[in-house]
Amino acid sequence: APGKQDVEGCFGVYFPSQEATSQLLTFEPTDKRRVKITIAREISDVEDDIVVPVNFTGDEVFEIDEVIFEGGAAQTSFYVNFPDAELSKKYTCTLEVTDPQFVSNYRTKPNYITFSVSVVSWDELGEATLIDRMFTNIQTGEFMNVQTKVYRNSNDKTLYRVDNPYPAFMEAA
């Protein structure tokens, strides 16, 4: 028996591969608390602007911008905002397009995206010397020692991070 037909004029909306998929995104307290999401459609030869109904499940902290494809656009982006997110708390968001006018029954690309966010504060502890035994100074052949700032998570005292030391390697080489 034949399968269920797509709705006539189905746009074939999907979420292309992007950084926000299925991972924890961390933000500093001073960062804008928003994630940019890209959405695409396979049928884009429509002249009118199209508003896409996006279903949301997740924590109440999220605010979803309206999703609009301008006439003829194959892709568009929108923001998921979370201005009231608390420090060191993980929030999860799932966006899904289910309307048969927008999603094909025979899709091969995802019609949903899931991601998590957390706002994390770091306390600066000072500078430390990083000795990287993989890279050497091109001129001397010796391993390079680089000063870098060290931070500790203000909520979880077992988590540390350092500033990216590699630009310093490039300047010293």
Side-chain angles (χ1 to χ4, degrees):
K4 185 177 177 184
Q5 294 288 319
D6 278 339
V7 171
E8 187 175 332
C10 176
F11 295 108
V13 171
Y14 64 96
F15 290 93
S17 187
Q18 51 200 298
E19 284 186 28
T21 305
S22 300
Q23 63 177 323
L24 177 63
L25 305 169
T26 58
F27 295 83
E28 299 278 341
T30 57
D31 291 342
K32 284 189 175 181
R33 296 179 187 187
R34 66 184 191 177
V35 176
K36 186 176 184 180
I37 302 294
T38 300
I39 191 168
R41 62 182 175 170
E42 294 174 343
I43 306 299
S44 60
D45 59 354
V46 178
E47 295 298 322
D48 298 328
D49 291 356
I50 304 295
V51 178
V52 179
V54 176
N55 300 324
F56 160 76
T57 55
D59 296 300
E60 291 183 14
V61 71
F62 293 105
E63 300 167 0
I64 316 302
D65 286 355
E66 188 172 51
V67 181
I68 301 174
F69 282 102
E70 292 181 2
Q75 272 192 346
T76 191
S77 295
F78 63 98
Y79 287 100
V80 177
N81 303 284
F82 45 101
D84 298 325
E86 297 175 22
L87 278 176
S88 302
K89 186 172 178 185
K90 180 180 172 184
Y91 298 95
T92 300
C93 176
T94 298
L95 304 172
E96 182 177 21
V97 179
T98 58
D99 186 317
Q101 181 64 53
F102 295 92
V103 179
S104 172
N105 293 317
Y106 303 100
R107 63 188 168 272
T108 59
K109 299 172 184 166
N111 66 320
Y112 68 93
I113 185 170
T114 298
F115 61 91
S116 298
V117 298
S118 183
V119 180
V120 181
S121 179
W122 298 91
D123 300 321
E124 185 177 334
L125 298 178
E127 287 199 348
T129 302
L130 174 69
I131 304 170
D132 191 326
R133 299 289 183 207
M134 284 188 65
F135 297 102
T136 60
N137 184 311
I138 295 172
Q139 297 169 342
T140 66
E142 296 177 8
F143 291 113
M144 295 180 62
N145 299 338
V146 177
Q147 291 297 116
T148 186
K149 289 184 181 175
V150 178
Y151 304 87
R152 181 173 53 199
N153 186 295
S154 59
N155 190 52
D156 183 347
K157 303 298 184 192
T158 65
L159 296 176
Y160 294 84
R161 75 172 196 188
V162 298
D163 282 344
N164 181 359
Y166 296 105
F169 273 117
M170 296 302 154
E171 292 172 13

